[in-house]
Amino acid sequence: MSLLASDPTMRSIRRRLRAVLNGRVITPGNAGYDQARTVFYGMFDRRPAVIVRPTDPSDVSQVVSLARETGLELAVRSGGHSLAGHSTTDGGIVLDLTDMNALEIDPEQRTAWAETGLTAGAYTTAAGAYGLATGFGDTGSVGIGGLTLGGGIGYLVRKYGLTIDSLLAAELVTADGQLLHVDDQSHPELFWAIRGGGGNFGVVTRFQFRLHELRQFVGGLLVQPATPAVIAAFVAEAQAAPEELSTIANVMPAPPLPFVPAEHRGRLVIMATLAYAGAVEDGQRAVAPFRALATPIADLVRPIPYPGIYPPEQEGFHPTAVSRTMFVDAVDRAATEAIVEHLQASTASLSVAQLRVLGGAMARVPAEATAFAHRASRLMVNVSAVYHRPEEAQVHQAWVDRLAAALRDGEDRAYVNFLGEEGQARIREAYPGPTWERLAAIKARYDPTNLFHLNQNIPPTKGVTSAARSRR
Ligand SMILES: Cc1cc2nc3c(=O)[nH]c(=O)nc-3n(C[C@H](O)[C@H](O)[C@H](O)COP(=O)(O)OP(=O)(O)OC[C@H]3O[C@@H](n4cnc5c(N)ncnc54)[C@H](O)[C@@H]3O)c2cc1C
């Protein structure tokens, strides 16, 4: 199908959308088109034929049906942070959920119904007003849509598990345009699949989450010089810490931020966020061993309201980057030496090795209970390089691959939400054997034509496994 703005078929599709939808329809030539087509990562500069901003599930259903009937490629967007550019398309339809951002909090029941246009930051701020929280990731502008569907690993992971471990139910529009309520009782297979299986199964319009009481919290940035010994000691402390404490440690050259003294800028540091979900006194005790690892260059760890963990973000920041994600069980001395050596040799504008110690509540959920199977992994490592000139991408990708190879320990395991465009073998690393087969069978049932393919795709398989069949 020709997709030019002036194409008569496209014109009639847009007319149809404008006639049936309550939400906005933005097309090339409309004021705001360029802003509406922009996603977080700068390398995905794509031009959709139409961007739809639904306001309700019936709009979502109309758009899904139209994509199915016309064969136009459908990109689903919540917060637009896909590392693979999956929430935009050249010449297709972007279903951008931004305007569906209602949040209903029930403080008595400690539950919330959240539409998927919400960001982690907006949800957290609203829930924080009640002293309640659901754990998302490390960045406030990330959408709850993509993050939750892939699992969700953040500041409360050791205390309350993955984001999906607080997911009670969801409403989603499947490929046939139907709105389904899914939970443990209703479409349990689909509910299993959307807890880790990404956007493969439908468009989620809203999630119901469990909220946790979080009236006291200690958190913030701790910046210390990075040597192999300090990095290894940091990891050991994070593993020994009470599970109220989750940490995200970025080993990187110190950025020119106001709180980093000039003499340290550009030198390798551990820029870590410490997050203690519990009583202030206990939190101060839990962070003390980290403060003692090396004289802090900056210490912003203090009692704060939990939403303060998401500071304001730079407007218009659209980095170009390459990265590699992996789960490992140990970061030993050789690994910390490799991290330091590689970071020192990097020619990227910014290079980072991010270490997240896992365990706690995340690890207590059985691997087969959700589509996120890597429960037992002890750490997640993400290596990334930000660069400016497109022709440099290959050099930095090679650097990322070399460091990732040096850190590899045993079987390759990936976190689906941090995968870029890396091919099916890498997607399978997110979904080990039985998980992949079960997901593919559920996909065959709910999306047999692979309408939802702009994602870390699980193609439908015709042969439904007997295990999946008996669970229906
Ligand atoms: C700066 C940054 C920080 C991050 N930090 C973390 C972190 O700490 N922890 C973590 O777990 N992840 C983190 N991530 C990864 C993040 O979870 C994924 O990129 C996620 O896909 C982003 O969700 P989104 O809604 O913003 O993205 P989008 O680009 O809008 O969506 C990504 C994909 O998710 C699917 N999708 C989104 N919404 C829906 C929906 N409503 N229904 C069906 N499918 C949908 C679609 O397939 C879509 O292509 C981070 C990413 C970035 C860029």
Side-chain angles (χ1 to χ4, degrees):
M1 179 177 296
S2 167
L3 300 169
L4 297 174
S6 56
D7 184 291
T9 317
M10 271 319 301
R11 278 211 305 273
S12 87
I13 287 173
R14 290 178 188 128
R15 255 201 312 274
R16 173 173 158 193
L17 283 170
R18 288 201 165 97
V20 297
L21 298 184
N22 299 312
R24 283 190 281 170
V25 177
I26 305 164
T27 60
N30 286 166
Y33 172 76
D34 278 331
Q35 207 187 346
R37 72 186 180 85
T38 303
V39 289
F40 178 76
Y41 279 108
M43 54 283 191
F44 307 116
D45 182 18
R46 297 189 183 143
R47 305 188 65 82
V50 55
I51 299 162
V52 178
R53 295 233 171 112
T55 56
D56 52 44
S58 110
D59 277 1
V60 173
S61 171
Q62 292 279 359
V63 174
V64 167
S65 297
L66 183 122
R68 193 184 60 244
E69 288 161 22
T70 59
L72 281 174
E73 185 165 67
L74 180 63
V76 180
R77 182 185 305 166
S78 171
H81 279 60
S82 165
L83 278 77
H86 284 150
S87 48
T88 186
T89 159
D90 269 325
I93 307 176
V94 169
L95 180 56
D96 176 353
L97 293 146
T98 313
D99 292 344
M100 289 181 63
N101 54 17
L103 178 61
E104 289 167 25
I105 293 175
D106 183 337
E108 252 96 79
Q109 295 297 317
R110 295 202 192 138
T111 58
W113 273 108
E115 285 189 324
T116 48
L118 283 161
T119 62
Y123 178 108
T124 302
T125 301
Y130 297 90
L132 299 171
T134 303
F136 295 104
D138 68 358
T139 301
S141 59
V142 169
I144 64 166
L147 180 128
T148 304
L149 291 168
I153 303 177
Y155 294 127
L156 303 181
V157 66
R158 284 159 53 84
K159 174 71 178 161
Y160 294 119
L162 302 170
T163 304
I164 51 170
D165 299 334
S166 295
L167 186 65
L168 300 170
E171 290 173 357
L172 83 165
V173 173
T174 44
D176 57 5
Q178 271 196 75
L179 179 67
L180 301 182
H181 174 101
V182 301
D183 59 22
D184 270 333
Q185 305 301 320
S186 168
H187 302 278
E189 274 298 278
L190 197 48
F191 188 49
W192 176 87
I194 64 164
R195 284 176 290 163
N200 274 283
F201 305 94
V203 182
V204 177
T205 54
R206 55 179 198 156
F207 292 119
Q208 188 187 32
F209 290 111
R210 182 178 297 116
L211 287 157
H212 307 277
E213 190 164 319
L214 195 44
R215 293 195 186 276
Q216 293 196 50
F217 178 77
V218 177
L221 275 175
L222 181 66
V223 185
Q224 289 163 306
T227 63
V230 175
I231 301 168
F234 187 101
V235 170
E237 287 298 347
Q239 285 175 327
E243 65 188 45
E244 281 74 15
L245 187 75
S246 295
T247 57
I248 298 182
N250 289 305
V251 187
M252 61 193 280
L257 292 169
F259 54 81
V260 176
E263 66 272 23
H264 291 286
R265 294 181 184 172
R267 300 218 174 134
L268 276 197
V269 291
I270 305 179
M271 193 148 131
T273 302
L274 275 55
Y276 186 90
V280 166
E281 218 176 280
D282 299 339
Q284 296 290 18
R285 205 173 310 118
V287 300
F290 293 87
R291 290 183 162 128
L293 291 175
T295 307
I297 294 165
D299 183 352
L300 311 181
V301 184
R302 62 201 190 288
I304 52 168
Y306 177 63
I309 205 70
Y310 294 132
E313 290 173 44
Q314 195 188 326
E315 285 273 323
F317 177 57
H318 297 293
T320 44
V322 284
S323 60
R324 178 124 182 151
T325 181
M326 59 208 290
F327 290 112
V328 297
D329 290 320
V331 172
D332 60 13
R333 188 57 192 259
T336 60
E337 279 165 9
I339 289 172
V340 168
E341 275 164 27
H342 282 76
L343 286 170
Q344 280 168 342
S346 168
T347 56
S349 358
L350 177 63
S351 36
V352 184
Q354 181 183 80
L355 309 171
R356 300 189 186 204
V357 166
L358 305 172
M362 165 186 167
R364 282 195 290 275
V365 175
E368 66 285 357
T370 66
F372 183 109
H374 294 305
R375 296 278 183 173
S377 296
R378 300 190 67 203
L379 288 113
M380 177 165 70
V381 181
N382 300 310
V383 178
S384 56
V386 176
Y387 57 92
H388 293 303
R389 298 210 308 270
E391 62 273 20
E392 290 175 4
Q394 267 187 341
V395 173
H396 300 306
Q397 185 65 61
W399 175 87
V400 162
D401 292 344
R402 280 196 303 276
L403 177 50
L407 300 177
R408 186 172 180 272
D409 72 344
E411 197 192 330
D412 290 317
R413 289 160 282 168
Y415 175 38
V416 73
N417 268 351
F418 278 125
L419 286 177
E421 290 175 287
E422 298 176 45
Q424 204 188 75
R426 285 283 283 155
I427 302 172
R428 292 196 73 145
E429 287 173 18
Y431 303 118
T435 304
W436 176 267
E437 282 156 29
R438 191 168 164 187
L439 284 169
I442 298 167
K443 176 81 171 173
R445 179 172 181 205
Y446 288 97
D447 184 17
T449 64
N450 210 358
L451 176 70
F452 302 113
H453 62 266
L454 266 183
N455 43 45
Q456 300 297 350
N457 196 236
I458 300 156
T461 50
K462 290 201 181 74
V464 179
T465 63
S466 53
R469 206 180 296 119
S470 69
R471 272 188 295 263
R472 279 185 194 166

